[in-house]
Amino acid sequence: VHLAVSGGGVAQPGGSLRLSCVGSGFSFNDYEMTWVRQAPGKGLEWLVYISSSGNTKYYEESLQRRFIISRDNDGNAVFLDMNSLRAEDTALYYCLRGAVPGNYDVSTGYNHFDPWGQGTPVTVSS
Amino acid sequence: DIVLTQSPLSLPVTPGEPASISCRSSQSLLRTNGNNYLHWYVQKPGQSPQLLIYLASERASGVPDRFSGSGTGSHFTLKINGVQAEDVGVYFCMQSLQIWTFGQGTRVEI
């Protein structure tokens, strides 16, 4: 089981970046996916979630929908489109898979995550 | 949001000695199905976080049995029975009863 993350880099304030995460070694379309970030010197912050089919998405409210999650199950990939980037978006971004196949919500208790992909750094600076 | 508070934030350890990390939740993580939706991860230097314990006390696949999780409701503990040099890293708890939140992390160092 492996998650390969790409797309990080440097962006100017107000700019955009797209992160990609390709899964291998498992049946990608059976699993929820999510993105988490860790800003320098700070803790982990959950950002966005997408169900196995892509029909359900959750977003951390403070993102104000600047970030959009999507997935391509045929290509075994999940994407994070980051728009209107700000200096405070500078962080290491992780792609995570739900630990248990299927979809879970507040009525069942949410899934935990395993594995995590390698972090990809995003720097927002002029 | 559910707030998770870990203690201590830094834990110097001696190889072979036990170590313990606490994670307290701002509300109970116990559901009526009997599961506590609290999980433990470790981030070793230069690596991505990896799952250690899920549902408070279930050891993840491949995790050495010196790691154990306990607790219920809003107070949880991760114990390492005989720390080894390769256990250095940052340990953090995460809850999945509601939309996910993380503890601040505890740095374990020899």
Short mmCIF file of all heavy atoms in Angstrom, two decimals, chain A residues 34 36 38 43-46 49 58 60 92 94 99 105-114 116-119, chain B residues 1 31 33 37 39 41 43 47-51 53-55 60 92 94 96-104:
data_model
loop_
_atom_site.label_atom_id
_atom_site.label_comp_id
_atom_site.label_asym_id
_atom_site.label_seq_id
_atom_site.Cartn_x
_atom_site.Cartn_y
_atom_site.Cartn_z
N THR A 34 -8.35 11.73 2.45
CA THR A 34 -8.39 13.03 3.09
C THR A 34 -7.02 13.69 2.99
O THR A 34 -6.03 13.04 2.64
CB THR A 34 -8.84 12.89 4.57
OG1 THR A 34 -9.32 14.12 5.08
CG2 THR A 34 -7.71 12.39 5.45
N VAL A 36 -4.40 16.44 5.11
CA VAL A 36 -4.05 17.03 6.39
C VAL A 36 -2.80 17.87 6.17
O VAL A 36 -1.99 17.55 5.29
CB VAL A 36 -3.78 15.91 7.43
CG1 VAL A 36 -3.07 16.42 8.67
CG2 VAL A 36 -5.07 15.21 7.81
N GLN A 38 0.53 20.32 8.10
CA GLN A 38 1.25 20.69 9.31
C GLN A 38 2.09 21.92 9.00
O GLN A 38 3.07 21.83 8.23
CB GLN A 38 2.13 19.54 9.79
CG GLN A 38 2.82 19.81 11.10
CD GLN A 38 3.48 18.56 11.66
OE1 GLN A 38 3.93 17.69 10.92
NE2 GLN A 38 3.51 18.44 12.98
N GLY A 43 0.83 22.12 14.99
CA GLY A 43 0.29 20.76 15.00
C GLY A 43 -0.39 20.40 13.70
O GLY A 43 -0.37 21.16 12.72
N LEU A 44 -0.98 19.23 13.69
CA LEU A 44 -1.65 18.72 12.49
C LEU A 44 -3.05 19.31 12.39
O LEU A 44 -3.76 19.43 13.39
CB LEU A 44 -1.71 17.20 12.57
CG LEU A 44 -0.36 16.52 12.41
CD1 LEU A 44 -0.38 15.14 13.03
CD2 LEU A 44 0.02 16.44 10.94
N GLU A 45 -3.44 19.60 11.17
CA GLU A 45 -4.74 20.20 10.90
C GLU A 45 -5.43 19.43 9.78
O GLU A 45 -4.90 19.36 8.67
CB GLU A 45 -4.57 21.67 10.50
CG GLU A 45 -5.86 22.37 10.17
CD GLU A 45 -5.64 23.78 9.66
OE1 GLU A 45 -4.53 24.11 9.20
OE2 GLU A 45 -6.61 24.57 9.70
N TRP A 46 -6.60 18.87 10.07
CA TRP A 46 -7.39 18.23 9.03
C TRP A 46 -7.95 19.30 8.11
O TRP A 46 -8.39 20.36 8.57
CB TRP A 46 -8.51 17.40 9.63
CG TRP A 46 -9.48 16.96 8.60
CD1 TRP A 46 -9.33 15.91 7.73
CD2 TRP A 46 -10.71 17.59 8.26
NE1 TRP A 46 -10.41 15.86 6.88
CE2 TRP A 46 -11.27 16.87 7.19
CE3 TRP A 46 -11.39 18.70 8.75
CZ2 TRP A 46 -12.48 17.20 6.61
CZ3 TRP A 46 -12.61 19.04 8.18
CH2 TRP A 46 -13.14 18.30 7.12
N TYR A 49 -12.03 16.13 3.10
CA TYR A 49 -12.33 14.69 3.03
C TYR A 49 -13.16 14.42 1.79
O TYR A 49 -13.97 15.27 1.38
CB TYR A 49 -13.13 14.30 4.27
CG TYR A 49 -13.99 13.05 4.11
CD1 TYR A 49 -13.51 11.80 4.51
CD2 TYR A 49 -15.26 13.13 3.55
CE1 TYR A 49 -14.30 10.68 4.37
CE2 TYR A 49 -16.04 12.00 3.39
CZ TYR A 49 -15.56 10.78 3.81
OH TYR A 49 -16.35 9.66 3.65
N TYR A 58 -16.20 16.85 2.72
CA TYR A 58 -16.24 17.72 3.88
C TYR A 58 -15.05 18.66 3.80
O TYR A 58 -13.97 18.27 3.36
CB TYR A 58 -16.13 16.93 5.19
CG TYR A 58 -17.16 15.85 5.39
CD1 TYR A 58 -16.79 14.62 5.90
CD2 TYR A 58 -18.51 16.06 5.13
CE1 TYR A 58 -17.70 13.61 6.12
CE2 TYR A 58 -19.44 15.05 5.34
CZ TYR A 58 -19.03 13.83 5.83
OH TYR A 58 -19.95 12.83 6.05
N GLU A 60 -12.85 21.80 6.05
CA GLU A 60 -12.62 22.55 7.27
C GLU A 60 -13.14 23.97 7.02
O GLU A 60 -12.82 24.60 6.00
CB GLU A 60 -11.12 22.56 7.59
CG GLU A 60 -10.80 22.71 9.05
CD GLU A 60 -10.98 24.13 9.55
OE1 GLU A 60 -10.70 25.06 8.76
OE2 GLU A 60 -11.40 24.33 10.71
N LEU A 92 3.46 21.55 5.35
CA LEU A 92 3.68 20.24 4.74
C LEU A 92 2.31 19.59 4.60
O LEU A 92 1.56 19.52 5.59
CB LEU A 92 4.57 19.41 5.66
CG LEU A 92 5.35 18.24 5.08
CD1 LEU A 92 6.24 18.67 3.94
CD2 LEU A 92 6.17 17.57 6.19
N TYR A 94 -0.17 16.39 3.68
CA TYR A 94 -0.21 14.94 3.65
C TYR A 94 -1.51 14.44 3.05
O TYR A 94 -2.59 14.96 3.35
CB TYR A 94 -0.09 14.37 5.07
CG TYR A 94 1.23 14.59 5.75
CD1 TYR A 94 1.40 15.63 6.66
CD2 TYR A 94 2.30 13.73 5.51
CE1 TYR A 94 2.61 15.83 7.30
CE2 TYR A 94 3.51 13.92 6.16
CZ TYR A 94 3.66 14.97 7.05
OH TYR A 94 4.85 15.16 7.70
N ALA A 99 -8.54 4.01 6.98
CA ALA A 99 -7.92 2.75 7.37
C ALA A 99 -8.80 1.55 7.03
O ALA A 99 -8.28 0.46 6.75
CB ALA A 99 -7.63 2.77 8.87
N ASP A 105 -19.49 8.10 8.78
CA ASP A 105 -19.87 9.47 9.10
C ASP A 105 -20.22 9.57 10.57
O ASP A 105 -19.93 8.65 11.35
CB ASP A 105 -21.02 9.92 8.19
CG ASP A 105 -22.25 9.03 8.34
OD1 ASP A 105 -22.41 8.35 9.40
OD2 ASP A 105 -23.06 8.99 7.40
N VAL A 106 -20.82 10.69 10.92
CA VAL A 106 -21.07 10.94 12.34
C VAL A 106 -22.01 9.88 12.92
O VAL A 106 -21.97 9.60 14.12
CB VAL A 106 -21.63 12.36 12.54
CG1 VAL A 106 -23.00 12.50 11.91
CG2 VAL A 106 -21.61 12.76 13.99
N SER A 107 -22.83 9.26 12.09
CA SER A 107 -23.75 8.25 12.63
C SER A 107 -23.05 6.94 12.96
O SER A 107 -23.57 6.14 13.76
CB SER A 107 -24.88 7.99 11.62
OG SER A 107 -24.38 7.35 10.45
N THR A 108 -21.88 6.72 12.39
CA THR A 108 -21.14 5.47 12.63
C THR A 108 -19.86 5.71 13.41
O THR A 108 -19.26 4.77 13.91
CB THR A 108 -20.75 4.81 11.29
OG1 THR A 108 -19.94 5.74 10.55
CG2 THR A 108 -21.97 4.44 10.48
N GLY A 109 -19.46 6.97 13.51
CA GLY A 109 -18.09 7.28 13.92
C GLY A 109 -17.23 7.29 12.67
O GLY A 109 -17.37 6.42 11.80
N TYR A 110 -16.40 8.30 12.57
CA TYR A 110 -15.58 8.43 11.36
C TYR A 110 -14.43 7.43 11.37
O TYR A 110 -14.05 6.88 12.41
CB TYR A 110 -15.03 9.85 11.26
CG TYR A 110 -16.11 10.90 11.03
CD1 TYR A 110 -16.64 11.61 12.10
CD2 TYR A 110 -16.58 11.17 9.76
CE1 TYR A 110 -17.63 12.57 11.91
CE2 TYR A 110 -17.57 12.13 9.56
CZ TYR A 110 -18.08 12.82 10.63
OH TYR A 110 -19.06 13.77 10.44
N ASN A 111 -13.89 7.21 10.21
CA ASN A 111 -12.76 6.31 10.03
C ASN A 111 -11.49 6.96 10.58
O ASN A 111 -11.39 8.18 10.68
CB ASN A 111 -12.59 6.07 8.52
CG ASN A 111 -12.00 4.73 8.19
OD1 ASN A 111 -11.42 4.06 9.03
ND2 ASN A 111 -12.16 4.34 6.94
N HIS A 112 -10.52 6.14 10.93
CA HIS A 112 -9.19 6.68 11.17
C HIS A 112 -8.37 6.49 9.90
O HIS A 112 -8.90 6.00 8.89
CB HIS A 112 -8.54 6.02 12.39
CG HIS A 112 -8.48 4.52 12.34
ND1 HIS A 112 -9.59 3.72 12.46
CD2 HIS A 112 -7.43 3.67 12.18
CE1 HIS A 112 -9.23 2.45 12.39
NE2 HIS A 112 -7.93 2.40 12.22
N PHE A 113 -7.12 6.90 9.92
CA PHE A 113 -6.35 6.98 8.69
C PHE A 113 -5.13 6.08 8.74
O PHE A 113 -4.42 6.01 9.73
CB PHE A 113 -5.87 8.41 8.44
CG PHE A 113 -6.98 9.43 8.44
CD1 PHE A 113 -6.94 10.50 9.31
CD2 PHE A 113 -8.05 9.30 7.60
CE1 PHE A 113 -7.95 11.45 9.33
CE2 PHE A 113 -9.08 10.24 7.60
CZ PHE A 113 -9.03 11.31 8.48
N ASP A 114 -4.88 5.40 7.64
CA ASP A 114 -3.69 4.57 7.49
C ASP A 114 -3.69 4.00 6.09
O ASP A 114 -4.65 3.35 5.69
CB ASP A 114 -3.73 3.43 8.52
CG ASP A 114 -2.50 2.55 8.46
OD1 ASP A 114 -1.37 3.10 8.47
OD2 ASP A 114 -2.64 1.32 8.40
N TRP A 116 -0.38 7.15 5.59
CA TRP A 116 -0.19 8.53 5.19
C TRP A 116 0.82 8.52 4.03
O TRP A 116 1.79 7.78 4.06
CB TRP A 116 0.40 9.36 6.32
CG TRP A 116 -0.46 9.49 7.55
CD1 TRP A 116 -1.10 8.48 8.22
CD2 TRP A 116 -0.72 10.67 8.28
NE1 TRP A 116 -1.76 8.97 9.31
CE2 TRP A 116 -1.54 10.32 9.39
CE3 TRP A 116 -0.34 12.01 8.13
CZ2 TRP A 116 -1.98 11.26 10.32
CZ3 TRP A 116 -0.77 12.94 9.07
CH2 TRP A 116 -1.60 12.56 10.14
N GLY A 117 0.58 9.37 3.07
CA GLY A 117 1.59 9.56 2.04
C GLY A 117 2.74 10.42 2.57
O GLY A 117 2.66 10.93 3.69
N GLN A 118 3.77 10.56 1.77
CA GLN A 118 4.85 11.45 2.19
C GLN A 118 4.36 12.89 2.11
O GLN A 118 3.55 13.23 1.25
CB GLN A 118 6.12 11.25 1.34
CG GLN A 118 6.18 12.06 0.06
CD GLN A 118 5.46 11.45 -1.10
OE1 GLN A 118 4.70 10.50 -0.95
NE2 GLN A 118 5.66 12.00 -2.28
N GLY A 119 4.82 13.71 2.99
CA GLY A 119 4.40 15.10 2.97
C GLY A 119 5.00 15.84 1.78
O GLY A 119 6.14 15.58 1.38
N ASP B 1 -15.67 21.95 18.01
CA ASP B 1 -14.63 20.97 17.72
C ASP B 1 -14.17 20.29 19.00
O ASP B 1 -14.13 20.91 20.07
CB ASP B 1 -13.42 21.63 17.06
CG ASP B 1 -13.71 22.14 15.66
OD1 ASP B 1 -14.88 22.00 15.22
OD2 ASP B 1 -12.79 22.66 15.03
N ARG B 31 -18.65 5.74 21.94
CA ARG B 31 -19.94 5.60 21.30
C ARG B 31 -20.72 4.45 21.92
O ARG B 31 -20.16 3.61 22.61
CB ARG B 31 -19.78 5.35 19.80
CG ARG B 31 -19.39 6.55 18.99
CD ARG B 31 -19.42 6.21 17.51
NE ARG B 31 -20.75 5.82 17.06
CZ ARG B 31 -21.61 6.63 16.48
NH1 ARG B 31 -21.30 7.90 16.30
NH2 ARG B 31 -22.78 6.19 16.08
N ASN B 33 -21.65 1.87 20.66
CA ASN B 33 -21.17 0.55 20.20
C ASN B 33 -20.01 0.03 21.05
O ASN B 33 -19.47 -1.04 20.79
CB ASN B 33 -20.77 0.60 18.73
CG ASN B 33 -19.64 1.57 18.43
OD1 ASN B 33 -19.05 2.15 19.34
ND2 ASN B 33 -19.36 1.76 17.15
N TYR B 37 -13.30 6.38 19.96
CA TYR B 37 -12.76 6.80 18.67
C TYR B 37 -11.52 7.68 18.86
O TYR B 37 -11.47 8.84 18.46
CB TYR B 37 -13.87 7.47 17.86
CG TYR B 37 -14.82 6.44 17.31
CD1 TYR B 37 -15.76 5.82 18.14
CD2 TYR B 37 -14.76 6.03 15.99
CE1 TYR B 37 -16.60 4.84 17.68
CE2 TYR B 37 -15.61 5.04 15.51
CZ TYR B 37 -16.51 4.45 16.36
OH TYR B 37 -17.35 3.46 15.89
N HIS B 39 -7.19 7.45 18.51
CA HIS B 39 -6.15 6.70 17.82
C HIS B 39 -4.80 7.36 18.10
O HIS B 39 -4.73 8.57 18.36
CB HIS B 39 -6.43 6.68 16.32
CG HIS B 39 -7.89 6.52 15.99
ND1 HIS B 39 -8.54 5.30 16.12
CD2 HIS B 39 -8.82 7.43 15.62
CE1 HIS B 39 -9.82 5.48 15.81
NE2 HIS B 39 -10.02 6.77 15.50
N TYR B 41 -0.71 7.86 16.76
CA TYR B 41 0.24 7.81 15.66
C TYR B 41 1.61 8.22 16.17
O TYR B 41 1.74 8.91 17.17
CB TYR B 41 -0.16 8.78 14.55
CG TYR B 41 -1.45 8.43 13.84
CD1 TYR B 41 -2.68 8.83 14.35
CD2 TYR B 41 -1.43 7.70 12.65
CE1 TYR B 41 -3.87 8.51 13.70
CE2 TYR B 41 -2.61 7.38 11.98
CZ TYR B 41 -3.82 7.79 12.52
OH TYR B 41 -4.99 7.48 11.88
N GLN B 43 5.28 9.92 14.53
CA GLN B 43 6.02 10.46 13.40
C GLN B 43 7.49 10.41 13.74
O GLN B 43 7.98 11.20 14.56
CB GLN B 43 5.59 11.87 13.07
CG GLN B 43 6.26 12.41 11.81
CD GLN B 43 5.67 13.71 11.33
OE1 GLN B 43 5.07 14.46 12.11
NE2 GLN B 43 5.82 14.01 10.05
N GLN B 47 10.08 10.95 8.58
CA GLN B 47 9.06 10.05 8.04
C GLN B 47 7.67 10.65 8.18
O GLN B 47 7.45 11.59 8.94
CB GLN B 47 9.10 8.70 8.76
CG GLN B 47 10.40 7.94 8.60
CD GLN B 47 10.34 6.58 9.30
OE1 GLN B 47 9.27 6.05 9.58
NE2 GLN B 47 11.52 6.02 9.56
N SER B 48 6.73 10.09 7.45
CA SER B 48 5.33 10.45 7.63
C SER B 48 4.78 9.73 8.86
O SER B 48 5.31 8.70 9.28
CB SER B 48 4.53 10.03 6.40
OG SER B 48 4.95 10.73 5.26
N PRO B 49 3.74 10.27 9.45
CA PRO B 49 3.14 9.59 10.60
C PRO B 49 2.67 8.18 10.23
O PRO B 49 2.30 7.91 9.09
CB PRO B 49 1.95 10.48 10.95
CG PRO B 49 2.34 11.85 10.47
CD PRO B 49 3.12 11.58 9.19
N GLN B 50 2.72 7.30 11.22
CA GLN B 50 2.24 5.94 11.02
C GLN B 50 1.35 5.54 12.18
O GLN B 50 1.56 5.96 13.33
CB GLN B 50 3.41 4.97 10.85
CG GLN B 50 4.45 5.02 11.94
CD GLN B 50 5.70 4.25 11.59
OE1 GLN B 50 5.80 3.07 11.83
NE2 GLN B 50 6.66 4.93 11.02
N LEU B 51 0.36 4.73 11.89
CA LEU B 51 -0.62 4.32 12.89
C LEU B 51 -0.01 3.34 13.88
O LEU B 51 0.64 2.37 13.50
CB LEU B 51 -1.82 3.67 12.18
CG LEU B 51 -2.97 3.19 13.05
CD1 LEU B 51 -3.66 4.36 13.74
CD2 LEU B 51 -3.95 2.38 12.22
N ILE B 53 -1.94 2.69 17.28
CA ILE B 53 -3.08 2.17 18.03
C ILE B 53 -4.35 2.78 17.46
O ILE B 53 -4.39 3.99 17.22
CB ILE B 53 -2.99 2.53 19.53
CG1 ILE B 53 -1.69 2.01 20.15
CG2 ILE B 53 -4.21 2.03 20.29
CD1 ILE B 53 -1.63 0.51 20.35
N TYR B 54 -5.37 1.97 17.24
CA TYR B 54 -6.66 2.51 16.82
C TYR B 54 -7.75 2.08 17.78
O TYR B 54 -7.59 1.08 18.50
CB TYR B 54 -6.98 2.10 15.37
CG TYR B 54 -7.13 0.62 15.14
CD1 TYR B 54 -8.38 0.01 15.16
CD2 TYR B 54 -6.02 -0.18 14.89
CE1 TYR B 54 -8.53 -1.35 14.94
CE2 TYR B 54 -6.14 -1.54 14.68
CZ TYR B 54 -7.40 -2.12 14.70
OH TYR B 54 -7.54 -3.46 14.50
N LEU B 55 -8.79 2.83 17.80
CA LEU B 55 -9.91 2.59 18.73
C LEU B 55 -9.41 2.38 20.16
O LEU B 55 -9.82 1.45 20.85
CB LEU B 55 -10.77 1.42 18.24
CG LEU B 55 -11.47 1.67 16.89
CD1 LEU B 55 -12.20 0.41 16.43
CD2 LEU B 55 -12.43 2.83 16.99
N ALA B 60 -2.09 -1.62 15.78
CA ALA B 60 -2.10 -1.73 14.32
C ALA B 60 -1.16 -2.85 13.88
O ALA B 60 -0.25 -3.26 14.62
CB ALA B 60 -1.69 -0.41 13.70
N PHE B 92 1.27 11.45 18.58
CA PHE B 92 0.09 12.26 18.72
C PHE B 92 -1.18 11.42 18.67
O PHE B 92 -1.20 10.35 18.07
CB PHE B 92 0.06 13.40 17.71
CG PHE B 92 0.15 12.97 16.28
CD1 PHE B 92 -1.00 12.72 15.55
CD2 PHE B 92 1.38 12.85 15.65
CE1 PHE B 92 -0.93 12.34 14.23
CE2 PHE B 92 1.46 12.46 14.32
CZ PHE B 92 0.31 12.20 13.62
N MET B 94 -5.38 11.29 17.88
CA MET B 94 -6.37 11.83 16.95
C MET B 94 -7.73 11.25 17.29
O MET B 94 -7.82 10.07 17.63
CB MET B 94 -6.01 11.45 15.51
CG MET B 94 -6.95 12.04 14.46
SD MET B 94 -6.80 11.24 12.85
CE MET B 94 -7.77 9.75 13.12
N SER B 96 -11.78 10.52 16.04
CA SER B 96 -12.63 10.43 14.86
C SER B 96 -14.10 10.23 15.24
O SER B 96 -14.89 9.74 14.45
CB SER B 96 -12.16 9.29 13.95
OG SER B 96 -12.27 8.04 14.62
N LEU B 97 -14.44 10.63 16.48
CA LEU B 97 -15.85 10.61 16.84
C LEU B 97 -16.61 11.66 16.03
O LEU B 97 -17.71 11.43 15.53
CB LEU B 97 -16.03 10.88 18.33
CG LEU B 97 -17.48 10.84 18.81
CD1 LEU B 97 -17.97 9.41 18.86
CD2 LEU B 97 -17.64 11.53 20.16
N GLN B 98 -16.01 12.83 15.95
CA GLN B 98 -16.51 13.89 15.09
C GLN B 98 -15.43 14.20 14.06
O GLN B 98 -14.39 13.52 14.03
CB GLN B 98 -16.84 15.12 15.93
CG GLN B 98 -17.96 14.89 16.94
CD GLN B 98 -18.24 16.11 17.78
OE1 GLN B 98 -17.70 17.20 17.56
NE2 GLN B 98 -19.09 15.95 18.79
N ILE B 99 -15.65 15.20 13.25
CA ILE B 99 -14.64 15.58 12.26
C ILE B 99 -13.30 15.69 12.98
O ILE B 99 -13.17 16.32 14.03
CB ILE B 99 -15.03 16.89 11.57
CG1 ILE B 99 -16.21 16.65 10.63
CG2 ILE B 99 -13.86 17.49 10.80
CD1 ILE B 99 -15.86 15.86 9.38
N TRP B 100 -12.30 15.17 12.34
CA TRP B 100 -11.04 14.84 12.96
C TRP B 100 -10.29 16.02 13.56
O TRP B 100 -10.18 17.09 12.95
CB TRP B 100 -10.14 14.18 11.92
CG TRP B 100 -10.80 13.03 11.24
CD1 TRP B 100 -10.79 11.73 11.63
CD2 TRP B 100 -11.62 13.07 10.05
NE1 TRP B 100 -11.53 10.96 10.76
CE2 TRP B 100 -12.05 11.76 9.78
CE3 TRP B 100 -12.02 14.10 9.19
CZ2 TRP B 100 -12.87 11.43 8.71
CZ3 TRP B 100 -12.84 13.79 8.11
CH2 TRP B 100 -13.25 12.46 7.87
N THR B 101 -9.76 15.79 14.75
CA THR B 101 -8.84 16.72 15.38
C THR B 101 -7.69 15.93 15.99
O THR B 101 -7.82 14.73 16.27
CB THR B 101 -9.52 17.59 16.46
OG1 THR B 101 -10.19 16.73 17.41
CG2 THR B 101 -10.53 18.55 15.86
N PHE B 102 -6.59 16.65 16.20
CA PHE B 102 -5.36 16.03 16.66
C PHE B 102 -4.89 16.66 17.96
O PHE B 102 -5.14 17.84 18.23
CB PHE B 102 -4.25 16.22 15.62
CG PHE B 102 -4.51 15.57 14.31
CD1 PHE B 102 -5.20 16.25 13.30
CD2 PHE B 102 -4.07 14.28 14.04
CE1 PHE B 102 -5.44 15.65 12.08
CE2 PHE B 102 -4.30 13.67 12.82
CZ PHE B 102 -5.00 14.36 11.84
N GLY B 103 -4.18 15.86 18.75
CA GLY B 103 -3.46 16.42 19.88
C GLY B 103 -2.23 17.17 19.40
O GLY B 103 -1.85 17.09 18.23
N GLN B 104 -1.58 17.90 20.33
CA GLN B 104 -0.45 18.75 19.94
C GLN B 104 0.80 17.96 19.61
O GLN B 104 1.72 18.46 18.98
CB GLN B 104 -0.09 19.75 21.06
CG GLN B 104 -1.27 20.40 21.74
CD GLN B 104 -1.57 19.69 23.05
OE1 GLN B 104 -1.88 18.50 23.06
NE2 GLN B 104 -1.50 20.43 24.15
#
